[in-house]
Amino acid sequence: MQDYKWLNEYCLNRFGSAAALEAHLPTPATPKKLKAISNDRYLSTMALRVFRAGLKHSLVDAKWPAFEQVFFGFDPEKVVLMGADHLERLMQDARIIRHLGKLKSVPRNAQLILDIAKEHGSFGHFIAEWPVTDIVGLWRYLAKHGNQMGGLSAPRFLRMVGKDTFIPSEDVVAALNAQKIVDKVPSSQRDQAAVQAAFNQWHAESGRPLCQLSMMLSYTANH
């Protein structure tokens, strides 16, 4: 595995200057900002990620105001009370995407958020305080305790709310393969630990957040 210096030099050469590179990199939310996000906004974003999976994002986003309405503004206290009959009625509502499995995930994930909020004060505190040096552990937690949060859904959800994370996208996995860290999407705990260790090393060398390192790695693939 090459060190951060190689990655930085590659990206500087590609973009031509440090300023041009920085303009293309994301900035994670501060812990204070993550804690300030309300539970209903976390549930809305989690549901948005679930419905975006496998669908054109613009299609889902265009319907999201209707989702906000039928799910009571994604107030977890209200959503968790939605039973099977209510969800069946939503299957007749043409304003939203009528996918029963994904609709069922919303009250289930509302329960997850309420359970975590009861223990940690709010879902935002739980997300903010999870160490990024074990971000794959947070992926696994959300996949295990949430609904339809496996695969890339957990890391993409975290990126959407601003939590610092890398995302094992196709380009990132190709770059990790070139560095002989993993040869496929890191789905096993062993592969995830190997990728986490690599990102932790680059983070220690550079001081950059994981999301920026992830984006920089993606720029080294297929170019």
Side-chain angles (χ1 to χ4, degrees):
M1 181 182 77
Q2 300 194 62
D3 59 17
Y4 168 74
K5 184 179 179 181
W6 162 82
L7 179 61
N8 187 55
E9 289 178 351
Y10 183 100
C11 290
L12 286 176
N13 286 335
R14 178 177 175 187
F15 287 96
S17 70
L21 170 60
E22 296 300 329
H24 284 81
L25 298 179
T27 301
T30 64
K32 182 178 180 180
K33 185 173 181 179
L34 290 170
K35 291 177 181 179
I37 299 172
S38 59
N39 290 337
D40 61 282
R41 291 305 87 201
Y42 276 113
L43 180 57
S44 176
T45 306
M46 191 177 291
L48 178 60
R49 170 54 209 164
V50 168
F51 276 90
R52 277 181 174 181
L55 295 175
K56 190 174 181 180
H57 291 187
S58 60
L59 169 68
V60 180
D61 295 352
K63 291 179 175 288
W64 210 246
F67 274 91
E68 289 281 351
Q69 182 178 350
V70 302
F71 280 107
F72 311 109
F74 289 98
D75 181 341
E77 297 279 2
K78 295 178 180 178
V79 172
V80 77
L81 300 177
M82 297 174 71
D85 290 346
H86 194 144
L87 295 175
E88 287 290 350
R89 287 195 294 274
L90 290 184
M91 286 292 289
Q92 311 306 315
D93 192 332
R95 297 175 300 161
I96 64 173
I97 296 166
R98 291 170 287 181
H99 184 295
L100 186 57
K102 293 185 177 187
L103 290 171
K104 286 180 176 178
S105 76
V106 184
R108 291 172 181 171
N109 286 330
Q111 186 64 62
L112 168 69
I113 286 176
L114 291 175
D115 290 344
I116 289 175
K118 184 177 180 180
E119 182 177 353
H120 296 271
S122 74
F123 190 78
H125 275 74
F126 169 77
I127 293 294
E129 292 170 4
W130 193 287
V132 296
T133 50
D134 180 36
I135 200 65
V136 296
L138 183 52
W139 299 357
R140 289 195 295 269
Y141 186 96
L142 293 173
K144 179 179 179 180
H145 298 283
N147 190 262
Q148 300 217 21
M149 290 299 291
L152 291 179
S153 285
R156 289 200 183 280
F157 159 70
L158 293 173
R159 179 67 63 81
M160 289 165 72
V161 298
K163 176 68 174 178
D164 191 22
T165 185
F166 58 88
I167 295 178
S169 65
E170 185 176 334
D171 281 351
V172 170
V173 171
L176 293 170
N177 185 20
Q179 296 297 311
K180 302 187 185 305
I181 297 167
V182 291
D183 58 6
K184 61 183 182 303
V185 174
S187 56
S188 69
Q189 288 195 29
R190 179 180 179 181
D191 283 351
Q192 288 178 358
V195 176
Q196 180 79 68
F199 273 92
N200 288 350
Q201 177 180 322
W202 292 323
H203 171 69
E205 292 171 349
S206 67
R208 285 191 179 277
L210 305 184
C211 61
Q212 294 186 1
L213 294 167
S214 180
M215 188 71 75
M216 290 170 73
L217 268 181
S218 74
Y219 291 139
T220 71
N222 303 318
H223 297 295

mmCIF file of all heavy atoms in Angstrom, residues 176-207:
data_model
loop_
_atom_site.group_PDB
_atom_site.id
_atom_site.type_symbol
_atom_site.label_atom_id
_atom_site.label_comp_id
_atom_site.label_asym_id
_atom_site.label_seq_id
_atom_site.Cartn_x
_atom_site.Cartn_y
_atom_site.Cartn_z
ATOM 1 N N LEU A 176 -8.654 0.625 -4.279
ATOM 2 C CA LEU A 176 -8.189 -0.235 -3.184
ATOM 3 C C LEU A 176 -7.607 -1.535 -3.729
ATOM 4 O O LEU A 176 -6.633 -2.067 -3.201
ATOM 5 C CB LEU A 176 -9.344 -0.530 -2.221
ATOM 6 C CG LEU A 176 -9.869 0.669 -1.426
ATOM 7 C CD1 LEU A 176 -11.160 0.295 -0.703
ATOM 8 C CD2 LEU A 176 -8.829 1.169 -0.431
ATOM 9 N N ASN A 177 -8.196 -2.023 -4.805
ATOM 10 C CA ASN A 177 -7.670 -3.231 -5.463
ATOM 11 C C ASN A 177 -6.280 -2.953 -6.035
ATOM 12 O O ASN A 177 -5.367 -3.773 -5.910
ATOM 13 C CB ASN A 177 -8.640 -3.675 -6.556
ATOM 14 C CG ASN A 177 -8.240 -4.990 -7.204
ATOM 15 O OD1 ASN A 177 -7.479 -5.765 -6.635
ATOM 16 N ND2 ASN A 177 -8.748 -5.236 -8.405
ATOM 17 N N ALA A 178 -6.116 -1.780 -6.636
ATOM 18 C CA ALA A 178 -4.817 -1.410 -7.200
ATOM 19 C C ALA A 178 -3.751 -1.305 -6.110
ATOM 20 O O ALA A 178 -2.572 -1.568 -6.355
ATOM 21 C CB ALA A 178 -4.934 -0.086 -7.953
ATOM 22 N N GLN A 179 -4.183 -0.959 -4.904
ATOM 23 C CA GLN A 179 -3.264 -0.867 -3.766
ATOM 24 C C GLN A 179 -3.124 -2.206 -3.033
ATOM 25 O O GLN A 179 -2.453 -2.275 -2.004
ATOM 26 C CB GLN A 179 -3.760 0.200 -2.789
ATOM 27 C CG GLN A 179 -3.777 1.605 -3.358
ATOM 28 C CD GLN A 179 -2.395 2.089 -3.727
ATOM 29 O OE1 GLN A 179 -1.464 1.995 -2.942
ATOM 30 N NE2 GLN A 179 -2.244 2.599 -4.943
ATOM 31 N N LYS A 180 -3.794 -3.228 -3.561
ATOM 32 C CA LYS A 180 -3.738 -4.591 -3.016
ATOM 33 C C LYS A 180 -4.241 -4.661 -1.572
ATOM 34 O O LYS A 180 -3.725 -5.412 -0.739
ATOM 35 C CB LYS A 180 -2.322 -5.166 -3.120
ATOM 36 C CG LYS A 180 -1.789 -5.203 -4.549
ATOM 37 C CD LYS A 180 -0.463 -5.931 -4.641
ATOM 38 C CE LYS A 180 0.116 -5.852 -6.070
ATOM 39 N NZ LYS A 180 -0.819 -6.336 -7.094
ATOM 40 N N ILE A 181 -5.288 -3.873 -1.302
ATOM 41 C CA ILE A 181 -5.890 -3.882 0.039
ATOM 42 C C ILE A 181 -7.083 -4.834 0.067
ATOM 43 O O ILE A 181 -7.186 -5.679 0.967
ATOM 44 C CB ILE A 181 -6.305 -2.454 0.439
ATOM 45 C CG1 ILE A 181 -5.061 -1.566 0.519
ATOM 46 C CG2 ILE A 181 -7.054 -2.456 1.781
ATOM 47 C CD1 ILE A 181 -5.344 -0.097 0.595
ATOM 48 N N VAL A 182 -7.954 -4.727 -0.907
ATOM 49 C CA VAL A 182 -9.045 -5.685 -1.117
ATOM 50 C C VAL A 182 -9.236 -5.841 -2.615
ATOM 51 O O VAL A 182 -8.858 -4.960 -3.390
ATOM 52 C CB VAL A 182 -10.375 -5.234 -0.459
ATOM 53 C CG1 VAL A 182 -10.288 -5.282 1.060
ATOM 54 C CG2 VAL A 182 -10.776 -3.842 -0.939
ATOM 55 N N ASP A 183 -9.837 -6.959 -3.007
ATOM 56 C CA ASP A 183 -10.057 -7.178 -4.441
ATOM 57 C C ASP A 183 -11.533 -7.165 -4.821
ATOM 58 O O ASP A 183 -11.898 -7.465 -5.954
ATOM 59 C CB ASP A 183 -9.416 -8.498 -4.886
ATOM 60 C CG ASP A 183 -9.941 -9.697 -4.114
ATOM 61 O OD1 ASP A 183 -10.882 -9.534 -3.313
ATOM 62 O OD2 ASP A 183 -9.394 -10.808 -4.317
ATOM 63 N N LYS A 184 -12.394 -6.813 -3.854
ATOM 64 C CA LYS A 184 -13.836 -6.726 -4.115
ATOM 65 C C LYS A 184 -14.462 -5.798 -3.079
ATOM 66 O O LYS A 184 -13.769 -5.338 -2.163
ATOM 67 C CB LYS A 184 -14.478 -8.118 -4.036
ATOM 68 C CG LYS A 184 -14.338 -8.796 -2.684
ATOM 69 C CD LYS A 184 -14.923 -10.190 -2.710
ATOM 70 C CE LYS A 184 -14.868 -10.903 -1.368
ATOM 71 N NZ LYS A 184 -13.500 -10.995 -0.821
ATOM 72 N N VAL A 185 -15.745 -5.542 -3.231
ATOM 73 C CA VAL A 185 -16.443 -4.700 -2.249
ATOM 74 C C VAL A 185 -16.258 -5.315 -0.863
ATOM 75 O O VAL A 185 -16.507 -6.511 -0.675
ATOM 76 C CB VAL A 185 -17.943 -4.599 -2.589
ATOM 77 C CG1 VAL A 185 -18.683 -3.835 -1.488
ATOM 78 C CG2 VAL A 185 -18.137 -3.905 -3.931
ATOM 79 N N PRO A 186 -15.781 -4.529 0.115
ATOM 80 C CA PRO A 186 -15.492 -5.085 1.439
ATOM 81 C C PRO A 186 -16.764 -5.376 2.246
ATOM 82 O O PRO A 186 -17.239 -4.527 3.008
ATOM 83 C CB PRO A 186 -14.650 -3.989 2.100
ATOM 84 C CG PRO A 186 -15.100 -2.723 1.442
ATOM 85 C CD PRO A 186 -15.432 -3.106 0.023
ATOM 86 N N SER A 187 -17.301 -6.570 2.078
ATOM 87 C CA SER A 187 -18.526 -6.947 2.780
ATOM 88 C C SER A 187 -18.246 -7.754 4.047
ATOM 89 O O SER A 187 -19.047 -7.739 4.989
ATOM 90 C CB SER A 187 -19.446 -7.742 1.849
ATOM 91 O OG SER A 187 -18.768 -8.877 1.334
ATOM 92 N N SER A 188 -17.123 -8.456 4.092
ATOM 93 C CA SER A 188 -16.776 -9.237 5.286
ATOM 94 C C SER A 188 -16.111 -8.327 6.319
ATOM 95 O O SER A 188 -15.540 -7.285 5.982
ATOM 96 C CB SER A 188 -15.819 -10.369 4.928
ATOM 97 O OG SER A 188 -14.546 -9.867 4.571
ATOM 98 N N GLN A 189 -16.176 -8.741 7.583
ATOM 99 C CA GLN A 189 -15.532 -7.947 8.631
ATOM 100 C C GLN A 189 -14.024 -7.854 8.394
ATOM 101 O O GLN A 189 -13.413 -6.819 8.673
ATOM 102 C CB GLN A 189 -15.823 -8.547 10.008
ATOM 103 C CG GLN A 189 -17.258 -8.349 10.473
ATOM 104 C CD GLN A 189 -17.434 -8.615 11.955
ATOM 105 O OE1 GLN A 189 -16.515 -8.437 12.751
ATOM 106 N NE2 GLN A 189 -18.619 -9.042 12.351
ATOM 107 N N ARG A 190 -13.442 -8.923 7.883
ATOM 108 C CA ARG A 190 -12.007 -8.920 7.624
ATOM 109 C C ARG A 190 -11.638 -7.878 6.578
ATOM 110 O O ARG A 190 -10.687 -7.099 6.770
ATOM 111 C CB ARG A 190 -11.567 -10.312 7.168
ATOM 112 C CG ARG A 190 -10.081 -10.412 6.855
ATOM 113 C CD ARG A 190 -9.715 -11.819 6.402
ATOM 114 N NE ARG A 190 -8.289 -11.926 6.067
ATOM 115 C CZ ARG A 190 -7.713 -13.037 5.637
ATOM 116 N NH1 ARG A 190 -8.408 -14.153 5.527
ATOM 117 N NH2 ARG A 190 -6.427 -13.033 5.339
ATOM 118 N N ASP A 191 -12.371 -7.857 5.469
ATOM 119 C CA ASP A 191 -12.071 -6.881 4.419
ATOM 120 C C ASP A 191 -12.359 -5.460 4.892
ATOM 121 O O ASP A 191 -11.607 -4.524 4.579
ATOM 122 C CB ASP A 191 -12.881 -7.194 3.163
ATOM 123 C CG ASP A 191 -12.302 -8.358 2.365
ATOM 124 O OD1 ASP A 191 -11.187 -8.809 2.701
ATOM 125 O OD2 ASP A 191 -12.961 -8.824 1.416
ATOM 126 N N GLN A 192 -13.452 -5.293 5.629
ATOM 127 C CA GLN A 192 -13.770 -3.961 6.138
ATOM 128 C C GLN A 192 -12.688 -3.460 7.083
ATOM 129 O O GLN A 192 -12.324 -2.284 7.054
ATOM 130 C CB GLN A 192 -15.135 -3.984 6.834
ATOM 131 C CG GLN A 192 -16.301 -4.126 5.881
ATOM 132 C CD GLN A 192 -17.639 -4.189 6.599
ATOM 133 O OE1 GLN A 192 -17.703 -4.168 7.822
ATOM 134 N NE2 GLN A 192 -18.716 -4.264 5.826
ATOM 135 N N ALA A 193 -12.167 -4.362 7.911
ATOM 136 C CA ALA A 193 -11.101 -3.973 8.838
ATOM 137 C C ALA A 193 -9.839 -3.570 8.077
ATOM 138 O O ALA A 193 -9.146 -2.614 8.463
ATOM 139 C CB ALA A 193 -10.796 -5.121 9.793
ATOM 140 N N ALA A 194 -9.542 -4.277 6.988
ATOM 141 C CA ALA A 194 -8.366 -3.949 6.187
ATOM 142 C C ALA A 194 -8.510 -2.569 5.555
ATOM 143 O O ALA A 194 -7.560 -1.771 5.529
ATOM 144 C CB ALA A 194 -8.154 -5.017 5.117
ATOM 145 N N VAL A 195 -9.692 -2.281 5.043
ATOM 146 C CA VAL A 195 -9.928 -0.976 4.413
ATOM 147 C C VAL A 195 -9.908 0.126 5.466
ATOM 148 O O VAL A 195 -9.325 1.200 5.264
ATOM 149 C CB VAL A 195 -11.259 -0.984 3.633
ATOM 150 C CG1 VAL A 195 -11.543 0.401 3.069
ATOM 151 C CG2 VAL A 195 -11.206 -2.001 2.500
ATOM 152 N N GLN A 196 -10.538 -0.139 6.612
ATOM 153 C CA GLN A 196 -10.529 0.852 7.687
ATOM 154 C C GLN A 196 -9.104 1.172 8.107
ATOM 155 O O GLN A 196 -8.742 2.340 8.311
ATOM 156 C CB GLN A 196 -11.318 0.322 8.892
ATOM 157 C CG GLN A 196 -11.364 1.287 10.080
ATOM 158 C CD GLN A 196 -12.370 2.391 9.903
ATOM 159 O OE1 GLN A 196 -13.566 2.156 9.902
ATOM 160 N NE2 GLN A 196 -11.890 3.622 9.752
ATOM 161 N N ALA A 197 -8.254 0.147 8.229
ATOM 162 C CA ALA A 197 -6.858 0.356 8.628
ATOM 163 C C ALA A 197 -6.119 1.223 7.616
ATOM 164 O O ALA A 197 -5.320 2.098 7.997
ATOM 165 C CB ALA A 197 -6.157 -0.990 8.790
ATOM 166 N N ALA A 198 -6.388 1.003 6.340
ATOM 167 C CA ALA A 198 -5.738 1.808 5.300
ATOM 168 C C ALA A 198 -6.167 3.266 5.400
ATOM 169 O O ALA A 198 -5.329 4.179 5.356
ATOM 170 C CB ALA A 198 -6.068 1.242 3.926
ATOM 171 N N PHE A 199 -7.478 3.477 5.543
ATOM 172 C CA PHE A 199 -7.965 4.855 5.665
ATOM 173 C C PHE A 199 -7.453 5.509 6.933
ATOM 174 O O PHE A 199 -7.126 6.710 6.938
ATOM 175 C CB PHE A 199 -9.496 4.887 5.621
ATOM 176 C CG PHE A 199 -10.050 4.974 4.232
ATOM 177 C CD1 PHE A 199 -10.381 3.836 3.522
ATOM 178 C CD2 PHE A 199 -10.228 6.204 3.622
ATOM 179 C CE1 PHE A 199 -10.884 3.918 2.225
ATOM 180 C CE2 PHE A 199 -10.727 6.308 2.334
ATOM 181 C CZ PHE A 199 -11.053 5.161 1.630
ATOM 182 N N ASN A 200 -7.369 4.750 8.022
ATOM 183 C CA ASN A 200 -6.839 5.316 9.264
ATOM 184 C C ASN A 200 -5.388 5.748 9.087
ATOM 185 O O ASN A 200 -4.965 6.782 9.628
ATOM 186 C CB ASN A 200 -6.956 4.297 10.399
ATOM 187 C CG ASN A 200 -8.393 4.101 10.856
ATOM 188 O OD1 ASN A 200 -9.290 4.848 10.471
ATOM 189 N ND2 ASN A 200 -8.618 3.091 11.675
ATOM 190 N N GLN A 201 -4.611 4.964 8.339
ATOM 191 C CA GLN A 201 -3.208 5.337 8.098
ATOM 192 C C GLN A 201 -3.123 6.615 7.280
ATOM 193 O O GLN A 201 -2.365 7.539 7.616
ATOM 194 C CB GLN A 201 -2.471 4.208 7.375
ATOM 195 C CG GLN A 201 -1.018 4.579 7.041
ATOM 196 C CD GLN A 201 -0.275 3.470 6.321
ATOM 197 O OE1 GLN A 201 -0.451 2.294 6.621
ATOM 198 N NE2 GLN A 201 0.554 3.841 5.339
ATOM 199 N N TRP A 202 -3.909 6.682 6.191
ATOM 200 C CA TRP A 202 -3.893 7.889 5.352
ATOM 201 C C TRP A 202 -4.390 9.101 6.129
ATOM 202 O O TRP A 202 -3.893 10.207 5.949
ATOM 203 C CB TRP A 202 -4.726 7.666 4.094
ATOM 204 C CG TRP A 202 -4.139 6.658 3.152
ATOM 205 C CD1 TRP A 202 -2.818 6.463 2.870
ATOM 206 C CD2 TRP A 202 -4.863 5.692 2.386
ATOM 207 N NE1 TRP A 202 -2.669 5.445 1.959
ATOM 208 C CE2 TRP A 202 -3.903 4.940 1.643
ATOM 209 C CE3 TRP A 202 -6.203 5.372 2.240
ATOM 210 C CZ2 TRP A 202 -4.263 3.910 0.780
ATOM 211 C CZ3 TRP A 202 -6.573 4.342 1.371
ATOM 212 C CH2 TRP A 202 -5.605 3.621 0.658
ATOM 213 N N HIS A 203 -5.367 8.878 6.996
ATOM 214 C CA HIS A 203 -5.885 9.972 7.826
ATOM 215 C C HIS A 203 -4.804 10.474 8.780
ATOM 216 O O HIS A 203 -4.619 11.691 8.954
ATOM 217 C CB HIS A 203 -7.107 9.495 8.608
ATOM 218 C CG HIS A 203 -7.573 10.461 9.647
ATOM 219 N ND1 HIS A 203 -8.155 11.665 9.340
ATOM 220 C CD2 HIS A 203 -7.531 10.412 11.009
ATOM 221 C CE1 HIS A 203 -8.453 12.315 10.451
ATOM 222 N NE2 HIS A 203 -8.070 11.575 11.477
ATOM 223 N N ALA A 204 -4.073 9.536 9.397
ATOM 224 C CA ALA A 204 -3.007 9.917 10.322
ATOM 225 C C ALA A 204 -1.895 10.673 9.601
ATOM 226 O O ALA A 204 -1.311 11.622 10.151
ATOM 227 C CB ALA A 204 -2.446 8.674 11.007
ATOM 228 N N GLU A 205 -1.600 10.280 8.376
ATOM 229 C CA GLU A 205 -0.530 10.917 7.607
ATOM 230 C C GLU A 205 -0.925 12.302 7.096
ATOM 231 O O GLU A 205 -0.077 13.188 6.979
ATOM 232 C CB GLU A 205 -0.145 10.040 6.409
ATOM 233 C CG GLU A 205 0.525 8.726 6.795
ATOM 234 C CD GLU A 205 0.696 7.780 5.617
ATOM 235 O OE1 GLU A 205 0.109 8.051 4.530
ATOM 236 O OE2 GLU A 205 1.398 6.786 5.771
ATOM 237 N N SER A 206 -2.207 12.466 6.784
ATOM 238 C CA SER A 206 -2.647 13.685 6.097
ATOM 239 C C SER A 206 -3.465 14.639 6.950
ATOM 240 O O SER A 206 -3.509 15.844 6.678
ATOM 241 C CB SER A 206 -3.493 13.313 4.875
ATOM 242 O OG SER A 206 -4.727 12.719 5.289
ATOM 243 N N GLY A 207 -4.147 14.104 7.968
ATOM 244 C CA GLY A 207 -5.084 14.920 8.733
ATOM 245 C C GLY A 207 -6.394 15.146 8.012
ATOM 246 O O GLY A 207 -7.277 15.846 8.509
#
